């Protein structure tokens, strides 16, 4: 995919037999791995870039020859997983000015539109009622209000304990009052990458129909002096 992009090739055709001869894994697993990596290799964060006159160099189509039903099932799963990884990348790359705690909560609610995901968002009062002093303390210097995001995907047995994922959601981290130097601050818009990973892991679980109970907990704050 990377080679195709660098040569402005839009469509590829591969023979699955070439990969089956190399990898001693189940066909479904192979299909999933291929599709995951095709999707991820085709990613580029272009939201704030001007589109070139010749267009983006994305691969538009990959045809897999001699694909069995097992391969096809794996490919469909891999497309979902790779797609959610890319959505996570896009969310994590969003600059601090466009990714506040409230906007992070809105992103979680938007993801929930795939169905079977319940999102609850606590505001400052709700966070204070639960005595979450750490979240309140970190956000105290910022004009942006904190949020605590709870995502629930419950598709397993009711008696089964849930898998709980916790993702750090510091949407921008200047270091608070102890302000960091520019060398250490330039990538602090990605201090909410853990939150992005949790949001899109749960989205992937819902899209794949995984029979598990999964809960995501995301403390969302901006660590900045007002």
């Amino acid at each position: 995919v990377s080679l195709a992009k660098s040569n402005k090739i839009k469509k590829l055709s591969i023979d699955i037999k070439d990969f089956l001869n190399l990898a001693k894994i189940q066909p479904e697993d192979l299909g999933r791995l291929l599709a995951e990596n095709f999707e991820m290799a085709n990613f580029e964060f272009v939201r704030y870039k001007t589109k070139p006159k010749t267009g983006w160099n994305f691969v538009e189509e990959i045809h897999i020859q001699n694909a069995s039903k097992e391969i096809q099932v794996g490919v469909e799963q891999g497309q979902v997983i790779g797609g959610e990884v890319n959505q996570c990348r896009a969310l994590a790359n969003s600059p601090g000015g466009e990714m506040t705690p409230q906007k992070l909560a809105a992103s979680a609610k938007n993801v929930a539109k795939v169905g079977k995901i319940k999102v609850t968002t606590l505001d400052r009062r709700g966070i204070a009622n639960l005595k979450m002093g750490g979240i309140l303390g970190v956000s105290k210097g910022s004009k942006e209000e904190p949020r605590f995001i709870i995502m629930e995907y419950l598709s397993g047995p009711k008696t089964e304990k849930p898998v709980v994922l916790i993702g750090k959601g510091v949407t921008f981290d200047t270091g608070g009052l102890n302000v960091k130097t520019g060398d250490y601050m330039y990538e602090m818009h990605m201090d909410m990458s853990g939150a992005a990973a949790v949001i899109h892991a749960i989205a992937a679980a819902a899209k794949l129909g995984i029979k598990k109970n999964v809960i995501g907990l995301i403390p969302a704050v901006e660590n900045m002096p007002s």
Side-chain angles (χ1 to χ4, degrees), residues 33 83 96 100 112 115 120 123 137 143 150 154 160 168 173 182 192 214:
L33 284 169
T100 64
T120 305
D123 58 11
K143 70 185 179 80
I150 304 162
L154 307 176
E160 186 176 270
K168 179 183 179 183
D173 187 4
M192 39 63 67
V214 186

Side-chain angles (χ1 to χ4, degrees), residues 95-115:
E98 295 197 9
M99 187 47 59
T100 64
Q102 293 185 55
K103 289 182 178 179
L104 187 60
S107 297
K109 289 181 178 179
N110 187 56
V111 160
K113 292 177 182 178
V114 301

Side-chain angles (χ1 to χ4, degrees), residues 16 20 27-28 64-74:
I16 199 66
L20 285 169
E28 187 173 313
I64 302 176
Q65 300 176 48
N66 300 310
S68 63
K69 287 185 178 180
E70 291 80 9
I71 292 287
Q72 291 175 24
V73 168

Side-chain angles (χ1 to χ4, degrees), residues 54-116:
T54 55
W56 304 114
N57 293 334
F58 294 120
V59 173
E60 296 173 355
E61 183 180 316
I62 299 177
H63 177 67
I64 302 176
Q65 300 176 48
N66 300 310
S68 63
K69 287 185 178 180
E70 291 80 9
I71 292 287
Q72 291 175 24
V73 168
V75 166
E76 290 173 4
Q77 293 174 345
Q79 283 185 294
V80 170
I81 296 168
E84 290 305 320
V85 170
N86 289 343
Q87 289 297 316
C88 173
R89 288 165 156 178
L91 187 60
N93 272 290
S94 299
E98 295 197 9
M99 187 47 59
T100 64
Q102 293 185 55
K103 289 182 178 179
L104 187 60
S107 297
K109 289 181 178 179
N110 187 56
V111 160
K113 292 177 182 178
V114 301
K116 296 185 178 180

Side-chain angles (χ1 to χ4, degrees), residues 208-225:
L208 293 170
I210 292 174
K211 302 301 181 184
K212 287 286 183 180
N213 299 320
V214 186
I215 293 175
L217 303 177
I218 301 168
V221 297
E222 183 181 76
N223 187 26
M224 193 183 297

